[in-house]
Amino acid sequence: MLDNMIFKQLMKHSFTIPVEVTYPNGKTEKYGNGAPQVKIKVNEKIPVKDLLRNASITLGEAYMDKKIEVSGSLQVLINSAYESANSFLNNNKFKRFLPKQSHSEESSKNDVQSHYDLGNDFYKLWLDKTMTYSCAYFEKPDDSLEEAQMNKVHHILKKLDPKPGSSLLDIGCGWGTLMLTAAREYNMNVVGITLSEEQYNAVKQRIKDEGLEDQAEVLLEDYRELDQLPFDYITSVGMFEHVGEENLGEYFNTISRYLKSNGVALIHGITRQQGGAYNGWINKYIFPGGYVPGLNENLTHIIESGMQVADIEMLRRHYQRTLEMWTDNFHKVLPEVRKMHDERFIRMWDLYLQACAASFESGNIDVIQYLISKGPSARTLPMTRDYMYKD
């Protein structure tokens, strides 16, 4: 009885939009003014002790197991929960962080492979043709996802102001679009690193297919173990979110070590302006070992590693739109996904995509590009930003 009362109070104060909630006893309550934008059906009682232990895991699992069903947009619902000061996502009674996690080389490899080695065929279904699994960059309102992903690749490379024949290291190279574009269109000599066997095999084949063996190399190894000469440039997209809070300093020290004197790096990743945080459900089901660092943390580590900041750009709204497009694509290919995965996985992945879109929409998280140099800031770069936008 007490659990039911507390859960109803939780629902009552958790959203900024009108919602309708149907409880396990069949009774329906409406919260907020106006017609409900989203309807929630609670099929089984949710123990309050589980919510207090970790609200994100408890509610995420309840949705995956159909203990909770939602009619309407998950993104709209979760965004409203982020915007409500008294919701389970913001109230300190319900916020719980995970214990300190391991980020040894072995655990990092396992973490990466648990997500990225779901299979290239799965990701091909809903990513664009570039197989780029990170925030796109929308130069025009009507850019397609593929256009926006290539915009992002060129935006990153242009920021480096790269010279033909120079060397580039791409840490966490994904399926290789950025590194191979740098080789093919910017005449750079590139090395990509990944811990995903699926990605490694795909990139190796792309290098062969595109005839870039003399300019491009992909390595299946931990970024901390690279044994090569320093590089003129380094890129790393969507990587530092995986290294762990305790290893952020080592990550930026490694970048500094791999950069030549006055070398330039473009580091692109999810960052919280409010400070670093874990998410229990995301860590358990999507990105094991993940940690979203705070803006101040990253800046401190950059400076302590002997590098300086040349430019910072926030791309929060770009990632929101990227995730919305991924969600639409995912929904369109559900018949194919069902041939690979069960309904629990599908509900999990749908929740992941829409919850992340809501988190960017609400400003709970951001994605930031850090242009940094080893030595005085931007010593080798043009004086103004104009060069970043020239064809």
Side-chain angles (χ1 to χ4, degrees):
M1 184 70 175
L2 182 60
D3 273 5
N4 289 337
M5 291 175 60
I6 294 175
F7 190 76
K8 285 186 177 182
Q9 285 298 309
L10 178 67
M11 290 292 102
K12 182 177 180 180
H13 297 289
S14 281
F15 307 106
T16 57
I17 61 170
V19 299
E20 178 183 287
V21 182
T22 301
Y23 292 98
N25 61 8
K27 291 186 178 180
T28 296
E29 300 282 352
K30 292 183 179 180
Y31 305 112
N33 299 320
Q37 293 186 30
V38 177
K39 295 182 179 181
I40 303 170
K41 185 180 180 184
V42 185
N43 295 318
E44 295 184 29
K45 184 179 73 172
I46 309 295
V48 170
K49 64 179 177 62
D50 292 342
L51 286 168
L52 290 172
R53 188 178 300 117
N54 196 303
S56 68
I57 290 178
T58 299
L59 293 173
E61 289 178 339
Y63 181 78
M64 290 163 60
D65 295 330
K66 290 192 175 182
K67 294 178 181 179
I68 294 177
E69 297 183 81
V70 175
S71 298
S73 170
L74 279 169
Q75 180 180 338
V76 168
L77 181 69
I78 296 170
N79 179 55
S80 73
Y82 276 119
E83 291 181 342
S84 172
N86 295 314
S87 80
F88 58 89
L89 293 174
N90 293 314
N91 193 314
N92 286 330
K93 292 180 182 178
F94 296 101
K95 281 186 174 181
R96 291 294 184 271
F97 294 146
L98 294 180
K100 188 175 180 179
Q101 301 166 78
S102 169
H103 284 86
S104 65
E105 291 185 16
E106 183 63 28
S107 65
S108 294
K109 180 178 179 180
N110 292 336
D111 291 344
V112 168
Q113 291 181 352
S114 72
H115 187 85
Y116 294 98
D117 284 355
L118 285 171
N120 292 341
D121 289 343
F122 170 67
Y123 287 104
K124 283 178 182 177
L125 287 175
W126 52 275
L127 293 179
D128 66 285
K129 291 180 181 179
T130 70
M131 289 291 284
T132 305
Y133 188 30
S134 56
C135 175
Y137 183 71
F138 295 88
E139 294 181 352
K140 301 185 294 296
D142 59 349
D143 278 341
S144 69
L145 183 57
E146 182 178 353
E147 289 170 334
Q149 290 292 8
M150 289 309 303
N151 291 345
K152 185 266 303 291
V153 167
H154 288 292
H155 192 51
I156 287 173
L157 293 172
K158 286 179 180 179
K159 281 186 175 185
L160 297 174
D161 193 33
K163 304 300 185 289
S166 58
S167 57
L168 170 71
L169 171 65
D170 190 18
I171 300 177
C173 64
W175 283 277
T177 296
L178 187 152
M179 60 175 283
L180 297 183
T181 300
R184 186 177 56 251
E185 299 187 36
Y186 293 77
N187 196 25
M188 303 178 76
N189 298 307
V190 302
V191 174
I193 303 177
T194 181
L195 283 175
S196 165
E197 291 186 6
E198 291 273 341
Q199 292 180 342
Y200 168 78
N201 290 331
V203 177
K204 195 171 183 179
Q205 187 62 48
R206 287 187 66 183
I207 292 172
K208 182 179 179 181
D209 292 345
E210 297 185 31
L212 293 172
E213 294 96 330
D214 292 338
Q215 284 181 264
E217 179 182 11
V218 61
L219 304 174
L220 181 65
E221 63 181 73
D222 190 278
Y223 76 98
R224 292 166 282 197
E225 296 300 320
L226 184 64
D227 184 22
Q228 296 205 20
L229 294 173
F231 294 82
D232 297 301
Y233 305 98
I234 292 177
T235 53
S236 187
V237 179
M239 172 67 186
F240 62 59
E241 305 94 316
H242 299 292
V243 305
E245 181 180 9
E246 73 277 16
N247 286 333
L248 276 170
E250 182 182 19
Y251 170 79
F252 284 105
N253 282 332
T254 300
I255 290 172
S256 181
R257 188 170 77 251
Y258 290 163
L259 268 181
K260 292 181 180 179
S261 179
N262 296 315
V264 180
L266 191 290
I267 311 302
H268 167 125
I270 300 171
T271 312
R272 289 189 84 241
Q273 297 201 29
Q274 305 91 327
Y278 299 96
N279 178 279
W281 183 81
I282 291 283
N283 278 76
K284 183 174 181 179
Y285 288 99
I286 306 297
F287 291 112
Y291 171 75
V292 176
L295 175 61
N296 59 330
E297 284 179 274
N298 282 341
L299 293 177
T300 297
H301 288 307
I302 288 168
I303 293 166
E304 289 180 348
S305 69
M307 300 185 290
Q308 293 192 9
V309 178
D311 194 85
I312 294 179
E313 183 176 12
M314 284 65 173
L315 300 177
R316 178 184 61 81
R317 290 190 295 169
H318 293 266
Y319 217 159
Q320 177 191 339
R321 182 175 293 186
T322 303
L323 281 153
E324 289 168 350
M325 287 185 162
W326 284 344
T327 300
D328 288 342
N329 290 347
F330 184 72
H331 288 170
K332 289 175 183 176
V333 298
L334 283 178
E336 296 301 313
V337 177
R338 287 191 174 97
K339 296 176 183 178
M340 303 177 180
H341 299 284
D342 61 19
E343 287 298 320
R344 191 172 192 264
F345 176 92
I346 289 170
R347 291 173 70 84
M348 175 188 76
W349 208 262
D350 194 25
L351 176 59
Y352 152 60
L353 292 173
Q354 295 199 58
C356 287
S359 200
F360 282 108
E361 182 178 7
S362 67
N364 178 59
I365 53 177
D366 206 329
V367 63
I368 298 178
Q369 290 187 348
Y370 305 82
L371 184 63
I372 55 184
S373 60
K374 187 173 181 179
S377 64
R379 173 181 277 173
T380 63
L381 297 176
M383 292 282 282
T384 72
R385 286 178 170 175
D386 291 350
Y387 77 98
M388 299 181 185
Y389 304 100
K390 293 179 180 178
D391 291 333

